[in-house]
Amino acid sequence: MSGLRTPCPGADLARRACLGRLAGAAGAWALGLPARAQAWPTRPLRVVLGYTPGGSADTTARELTVPLTAALGQPLVVDYKAGASGTIAGAEVARAAPDGYTLGLLDNAPLTIVPALRNAGYDPLAAFTPITMVSHVPQVLVASTSAGVGTLRELIEAMRKAPGKFSYASGGAGSVGHLTTELLKSRTGTYALHVPYRGGAPAINALLAGEVQFAFLTPTATQGFIQAGKLKPLGVSSRSRVASLPGVPTIAESVAPGFEAPGWFALVGPAGLPEPVVSTLRRSVAQVLATPATVSRLEALGQTLPPVGQDVRGVITAELATWKQLVAERKLVIEG
């Protein structure tokens, strides 16, 4: 032992301090982080959201960020960057520093739908670090009471008989509802005119006024109007029925076998996010989503939990291919 040299010679106190620094550096090296990053997070985190306060996206963000604040020991502050079907928020996350302090709660509009239609200003597969899927958000097809249809099959038959009579609303060109409707038209051989609005609320107002006949919207946005008898639910876009609308069939079981076009929310960061940060976030989100109270509240919003460990990058890759094929087939063009 006498032949070994210590890297920390000197007085006892100085030597112990040196050994402490070496131990900390070794621990950080084992995690793949610089020593100063061991304590992440040391300050508040920003979660960028592509929609305005008060909607289902905002409610979902609150369901996630409040318990994560407790789990991580730092506040998670929602930063609203609404517009352009979520791509403003997507761009904000893509250009952020990969230090774990800017994250995005993004849906599939800025990650798969808009990039299939036009240049979103970023590559959805290269610009982000996928962290974890948060929830699946089925779309419910609702009809105006003035449309004169009681089932989805009746709507499809009516559109086939009178191709120029029907129009549908969406929350904007390039939104989930827009392409979900185009997919339904493709699968059923029907035609309806697209009328885009600046969000779900004006789309619902148009439905209530009879300006358009139907639309794909979220269960959260439509549930009150459905309960009041002002909108008629005809089908849901998910593989399974929605817990909050148990009597509404899936589109697959009623008119188009195999049909599935759910929305979803995923937590992402900028490209290059350190793996220890990603692992911590995945573990913390999994703990939040395992809480019965959180599950209950998400189900009340018409959302469902994703499969455990669902591969976000794989979902993005597969959906991009699906939407690009649909865009080419339908010759859809969105400027911007």
Side-chain angles (χ1 to χ4, degrees), residues 42-333:
T42 60
R43 54 186 171 87
L45 285 71
R46 182 170 66 121
V47 179
V48 182
L49 191 68
Y51 299 92
T52 55
S56 58
D58 184 33
T59 306
T60 304
R62 300 295 176 184
E63 290 297 334
L64 184 67
T65 56
V66 171
L68 278 183
T69 290
L72 297 175
Q74 290 290 339
L76 278 78
V77 180
V78 179
D79 187 5
Y80 303 95
K81 298 291 182 181
S85 296
T87 56
I88 293 175
E92 183 80 6
V93 176
R95 62 174 171 257
D99 56 10
Y101 290 99
T102 296
L103 307 172
L105 184 63
L106 304 181
D107 67 347
N108 48 335
L111 291 174
T112 65
I113 292 178
V114 174
L117 283 161
R118 61 171 174 82
N119 182 1
Y122 50 79
D123 181 338
L125 291 172
F128 304 103
T129 298
I131 299 171
T132 187
M133 195 70 74
V134 173
S135 66
H136 288 182
V137 189
Q139 300 284 299
V140 55
L141 192 159
V142 290
S144 165
T145 54
S146 63
V149 295
T151 67
L152 181 54
R153 186 168 295 280
E154 289 179 7
L155 174 63
I156 297 301
E157 291 174 354
M159 285 196 290
R160 286 174 177 159
K161 290 178 181 177
K165 177 181 177 181
F166 289 84
S167 58
Y168 74 93
S170 80
S175 64
V176 177
H178 175 199
L179 260 67
T180 299
T181 310
E182 289 298 323
L183 182 62
L184 178 65
K185 288 162 59 178
S186 173
R187 291 291 307 276
T188 57
T190 54
Y191 173 81
L193 176 67
H194 178 213
V195 184
Y197 292 87
R198 297 177 64 86
I204 288 176
N205 289 337
L207 279 166
L208 297 174
E211 296 171 6
V212 291
Q213 284 69 55
F214 67 97
F216 275 104
L217 296 161
T218 66
T220 306
T222 57
Q223 195 162 27
F225 298 100
I226 291 171
Q227 292 172 345
K230 296 180 178 180
L231 292 176
K232 177 68 176 178
L234 303 182
V236 293
S237 67
S238 51
R239 184 179 302 177
S240 303
R241 293 195 181 197
V242 177
S244 59
L245 296 167
V248 181
T250 67
I251 291 169
E253 67 183 283
S254 56
V255 298
F259 185 97
E260 184 181 11
W264 42 262
F265 286 108
L267 189 67
V268 303
L273 207 59
E275 182 55 36
V277 171
V278 175
S279 297
T280 297
L281 286 166
R282 282 178 179 159
R283 182 172 61 252
S284 299
V285 172
Q287 291 171 351
V288 169
L289 296 181
T291 306
T294 300
V295 174
S296 178
R297 287 192 291 266
L298 287 176
E299 287 181 346
L301 294 172
Q303 301 184 25
T304 58
L305 295 185
V308 175
Q310 185 174 34
D311 178 16
V312 180
R313 185 176 296 278
V315 170
I316 293 173
T317 301
E319 282 202 10
L320 269 173
T322 296
W323 294 132
K324 285 181 178 179
Q325 180 179 351
L326 180 70
V327 167
E329 172 194 318
R330 308 291 293 180
K331 296 181 173 58
L332 301 174
V333 178

